[in-house]
Amino acid sequence: STSQMDIVDAHVYWQHPAITGRRNTPMLDDPLHSIAVRLTRSTLANKPFTVSEVNEPFPSDYEAEMIPILAAYGAFQDWDGIFIYTFEPKVTGSWEAVIGDHFDLAEDPVKIAQMPAGALLFLRHDVDAARKTIERTYSTEQINESLRLPQSEMPYYTPGFPLWLPLEHGSRIRCLDCEPTETFHEEPQNPIRSDTGQLAWYTSEAKGGLLAIDTERSTGLIGFVRDNGIATSHLSADVQNKFCALTLSSLDTKPLSQSSLMLLTATGRVENTNAVWNARRTMLDVWGTAPTRIEVIKGWLLLKQLEGAVGVLVTPLDGSSKPLGEVRGRLVETGWEIPIGDQPATSYLIRIVR
């Protein structure tokens, strides 16, 4: 029925709170069932596609991964709109300076800080659309029989169609009443790299997952950054935190190599004051009170390939984007080294002096 409409829309969550059992695990450790892959099951060729409901609900030790993953692969798949559920639900009926709901964006200092970086990745199309789109086809009989398939065939319910393929190429449904798509026999690689070369999803049981975003105007390291030791063309990190999301975005439309103004986001865990997890660390027994607190990402970042730079000035910003002082980058052989984490910040404004 959706294929007859003017636009296609889909909803998805990573570990919705209504689902009981094991929770609070990183999406980056399960790329084949990530929100990026699950959403591509619904896209149709030659139809606009929007995501009008999506989130990695609170509480989660890994929520910092969602917006960079969603924005990067949304741009790569050439989607038309992403609406995160939801800005301010007010479940209690009154405003409080605390995350009081699984889906509350307004009081979440990690997700709010990441929205500008995600918007630049997606709306500005810093991540290029896939160079090649693989179209799927189905027969009516195949669609009817898919009802009998086991849950292990989620989310595509299309035997022979590899779940890693949407992380490499565009993915769309071409028709629902023709010859079925032939079985693919290619093997997945590690990292799973987009055909644009801008996205690389690394998987490792020992080190944990990591997404590297490497484009002209935006770059990022998302996930288990410390243990993987992966770098991009313009960014490498030596951080103390086990899991974090680092993004660096040009704010003057120029490539990072020539930009004079950049936005750095450095985000990790977030919790309300005095929150108490249950014994399995899957849900909160006590939600806690104000103020909501961030895990400060601490360490050193290396900014590389900054053409003609003679100085780097870093201004950490508080939750209302007011400056918390200024530090100077240090020139080393491979680029400019900057410290982060001396101030309780999730965002930093970086000025390049030439």
Side-chain angles (χ1 to χ4, degrees):
S1 60
T2 302
S3 67
Q4 305 304 310
M5 303 299 176
D6 294 331
I7 188 170
V8 179
D9 183 77
H11 301 172
V12 76
Y13 291 87
W14 178 254
Q15 298 182 340
H16 193 285
I19 300 171
T20 58
R22 185 70 180 125
R23 298 176 42 80
N24 194 25
T25 61
M27 184 173 10
L28 281 161
D29 283 352
D30 192 6
L32 304 190
H33 298 93
S34 64
I35 54 177
V37 169
R38 289 162 62 190
L39 284 165
T40 60
R41 68 187 173 188
S42 304
T43 53
L44 285 165
N46 304 315
K47 295 275 188 180
F49 179 73
T50 59
V51 183
S52 65
E53 193 175 318
V54 63
N55 207 332
E56 183 163 354
F58 177 86
S60 169
D61 289 327
Y62 309 103
E63 70 164 52
E65 67 189 356
M66 181 196 67
I67 288 177
I69 290 175
L70 191 62
Y73 283 100
F76 175 67
Q77 290 290 338
D78 200 23
W79 299 340
D80 297 280
I82 299 172
F83 305 80
I84 300 175
Y85 182 86
T86 186
F87 183 73
E88 193 174 22
K90 281 193 171 71
V91 170
T92 62
S94 62
W95 183 88
E96 297 179 37
V98 64
I99 301 178
D101 179 86
H102 295 293
F103 310 102
D104 189 357
L105 278 171
E107 299 307 314
D108 190 317
V110 167
K111 290 172 181 171
I112 285 293
Q114 290 180 329
M115 288 293 277
L120 291 170
L121 277 169
F122 181 76
L123 297 175
R124 197 167 64 178
H125 241 302
D126 285 359
V127 175
D128 295 334
R131 294 175 180 171
K132 179 181 180 181
T133 296
I134 306 298
E135 294 184 341
R136 309 193 311 283
T137 57
Y138 299 88
S139 67
T140 302
E141 181 183 3
Q142 182 185 17
I143 292 172
N144 291 338
E145 288 301 313
S146 69
L147 294 171
R148 306 177 192 274
L149 292 174
Q151 195 173 11
S152 60
E153 291 292 337
M154 287 181 62
Y156 268 82
Y157 292 96
T158 308
F161 189 87
L163 295 181
W164 47 263
L165 194 147
L167 302 177
E168 286 192 352
H169 305 291
S171 178
R172 299 263 171 168
I173 297 171
R174 179 163 56 84
C175 70
L176 298 165
D177 55 359
C178 53
E179 288 296 316
T181 305
E182 293 183 3
T183 299
F184 288 78
H185 297 289
E186 300 176 24
E187 294 295 326
Q189 304 296 312
N190 190 11
I192 306 172
R193 197 178 299 275
S194 67
D195 63 14
T196 62
Q198 297 173 322
L199 305 176
W201 195 315
Y202 295 81
T203 58
S204 168
E205 289 187 10
K207 299 177 181 179
L210 180 135
L211 172 63
I213 303 170
D214 199 347
T215 81
E216 281 194 350
R217 293 188 294 187
S218 290
T219 192
L221 296 168
I222 319 299
F224 294 91
V225 175
R226 185 189 68 188
D227 293 340
N228 274 279
I230 302 297
T232 69
S233 300
H234 295 288
L235 180 67
S236 62
D238 179 11
V239 293
Q240 300 174 19
N241 311 71
K242 186 174 178 63
F243 188 94
C244 64
L246 306 170
T247 59
L248 181 68
S249 310
S250 167
L251 290 179
D252 55 12
T253 73
K254 297 178 182 178
L256 289 168
S257 59
Q258 302 168 19
S259 177
S260 298
L261 190 64
M262 304 176 187
L263 173 66
L264 169 71
T265 61
T267 54
R269 293 181 298 127
V270 56
E271 287 185 5
N272 297 326
T273 298
N274 297 321
V276 179
W277 287 84
N278 63 16
R280 297 181 68 194
R281 200 173 180 85
T282 58
M283 190 53 70
L284 295 177
D285 283 338
V286 178
W287 275 72
T289 58
T292 301
R293 306 172 67 192
I294 62 167
E295 175 192 18
V296 178
I297 307 305
K298 298 182 179 182
W300 291 83
L301 303 185
L302 183 67
L303 309 186
K304 302 179 290 181
Q305 298 185 25
L306 305 182
E307 297 175 7
V310 296
V312 174
L313 305 177
V314 182
T315 303
L317 305 175
D318 69 9
S320 58
S321 296
K322 294 179 180 178
L324 295 169
E326 183 177 85
V327 296
R328 291 182 176 270
R330 181 175 63 184
L331 180 62
V332 295
E333 288 185 354
T334 51
W336 289 85
E337 197 172 50
I338 62 171
I340 60 170
D342 291 336
Q343 298 289 343
T346 54
S347 301
Y348 299 77
L349 199 62
I350 299 178
R351 294 179 175 86
I352 309 300
V353 182
R354 289 183 169 84

